[in-house]
Amino acid sequence: MKKFFNIVLLAIGLSLFNSCIDDDTYSLTLSSVSEEMIEKESITLTATVSGLQIVNPEIEWRSEDPSIATVDNGTVTAVKEGETTIVAGIADSNVEARCKIIVAKYFITFVNENFEAYCLEYFDINKNGKISSTEANKVEIMNFYTDNIEKLDDITHFKNLVRLYCYGSSSKAGAGALTSLDVSKNTNLKELFCYGNKLTSLDVSKNTNLEELVCRWNYLDSLDISNNTNLKMLWCEGNNIKKIYVWEGFDEGNFAANKLLYDKEGVKFEEKK
């Protein structure tokens, strides 16, 4: 009988102990509260328990969305692009700790280090020294001088750009170092200001949403805006342009005052069939 009562008392003691695990005196922390990963990458989170008088307590792990990232004993594996939360908890308690997981498709490998420096300063949300495809997709506006940027090949990663201002620091041709600009992937662009550079050509045929184009003070000898039927402003003076290809039915009179500026002498508008 005495043995029976000892067992009962032990069970009650363990029950009381477990009921106290979620008390404020105990805490659980993870080695990180937020991580950015790319698909198929794995990292390990470490759980640290404080205030609990038990050696190596059992830690239970779970992912709030295993389709984004899974977890196995602290090892997190990214599955696909998206966001989820990894939760660690002390067994038989309400004590938990969380880590936000952001999964991107890739990290950008920049061609131009000066453009990379600009992006890291303004668009590296979690300050990990890298720009992910997820971070790039959140960027809608860019505004920077191009005096030390010759090429913008990396702009293709920023597919949701609406306004791109990349110009020389003074109002003259060649002030900016930009010699080429590929915006064919930036199909959401509504405003493109690339004046005061060294551009000899500019292809905006894919930018059908474009409303304002300022490409003045470059080295362009022709310009094709035949696909840009939403255009409301065009400033292209200060180039060597002799011909501007326009859409069928183009009418200079449809532009508001001072919204269409070009070198009047020698410039010819030609409808592109």
Side-chain angles (χ1 to χ4, degrees):
M1 192 71 174
K2 183 178 179 181
K3 182 177 180 181
F4 171 77
F5 279 114
N6 287 338
I7 293 174
V8 171
L9 288 173
L10 178 61
I12 293 173
L14 288 173
S15 176
L16 289 172
F17 176 78
N18 285 333
S19 68
C20 293
I21 288 180
D22 60 349
D23 189 87
D24 290 340
T25 58
Y26 306 110
S27 66
L28 176 65
T29 57
L30 295 179
S31 51
S32 177
V33 296
S34 179
E35 288 288 341
E36 187 175 38
M37 308 171 63
I38 59 175
E39 293 177 353
K40 298 182 180 180
E41 181 184 7
S42 293
I43 62 171
T44 300
L45 296 175
T46 302
T48 301
V49 180
S50 301
L52 190 60
Q53 301 303 312
I54 184 172
V55 178
N56 297 324
E58 182 182 355
I59 304 298
E60 297 176 337
W61 298 85
R62 75 176 190 277
S63 170
E64 291 189 344
D65 189 346
S67 71
I68 303 297
T70 62
V71 61
D72 181 13
N73 197 30
T75 299
V76 182
T77 301
V79 179
K80 68 176 184 179
E81 187 176 24
E83 296 184 11
T84 188
T85 300
I86 299 299
V87 183
I90 300 175
D92 301 319
S93 80
N94 296 319
V95 179
E96 292 182 340
R98 295 168 175 266
C99 177
K100 182 180 180 180
I101 300 294
I102 302 171
V103 180
K105 288 188 176 298
Y106 61 89
F107 290 116
I108 298 174
T109 301
F110 284 86
V111 174
N112 187 284
E113 61 181 17
N114 294 314
F115 181 60
E116 179 181 17
Y118 165 77
C119 291
L120 289 175
E121 181 176 358
Y122 293 101
F123 310 124
D124 183 12
I125 298 172
N126 59 7
K127 301 302 178 185
N128 64 349
K130 295 180 285 188
I131 300 293
S132 69
S133 56
T134 300
E135 290 171 320
N137 288 337
K138 293 179 180 179
V139 179
E140 295 185 356
I141 301 175
M142 283 187 170
N143 189 340
F144 55 90
Y145 289 132
T146 54
D147 294 21
N148 58 1
I149 299 176
E150 294 182 2
K151 294 185 178 181
L152 268 182
D153 297 350
D154 304 315
I155 204 72
T156 58
H157 297 287
F158 298 85
K159 298 178 181 179
N160 292 320
L161 268 179
V162 177
R163 297 175 178 85
L164 174 58
Y165 310 118
C166 51
Y167 44 85
S169 59
S170 64
S171 302
K172 63 179 182 180
L178 199 61
T179 58
S180 65
L181 178 61
D182 179 4
V183 290
S184 60
K185 303 294 184 183
N186 310 105
T187 55
N188 290 323
L189 271 181
K190 290 187 176 182
E191 298 178 13
L192 173 59
F193 288 36
C194 54
Y195 60 83
N197 280 294
K198 295 181 172 69
L199 297 176
T200 57
S201 63
L202 180 62
D203 184 356
V204 290
S205 60
K206 303 294 185 183
N207 308 103
T208 56
N209 292 312
L210 202 60
E211 296 177 358
E212 297 184 7
L213 174 59
V214 178
C215 55
R216 65 205 316 189
W217 309 320
N218 275 284
Y219 301 145
L220 303 174
D221 55 19
S222 65
L223 183 62
D224 187 344
I225 57 169
S226 59
N227 287 340
N228 310 109
T229 56
N230 290 310
L231 208 59
K232 296 178 176 61
M233 184 175 95
L234 172 62
W235 290 359
C236 59
E237 76 277 19
N239 282 279
N240 303 313
I241 294 176
K242 300 301 180 185
K243 188 175 292 187
I244 300 177
Y245 295 96
V246 297
W247 59 89
E248 188 174 356
F250 174 87
D251 186 351
E252 291 184 53
N254 291 336
F255 287 79
N258 297 319
K259 293 296 184 180
L260 178 59
L261 300 179
Y262 61 95
D263 297 317
K264 304 291 184 180
E265 186 176 347
V267 175
K268 179 181 179 182
F269 287 93
E270 181 177 311
E271 290 186 3
K272 194 169 185 179
K273 305 297 184 180

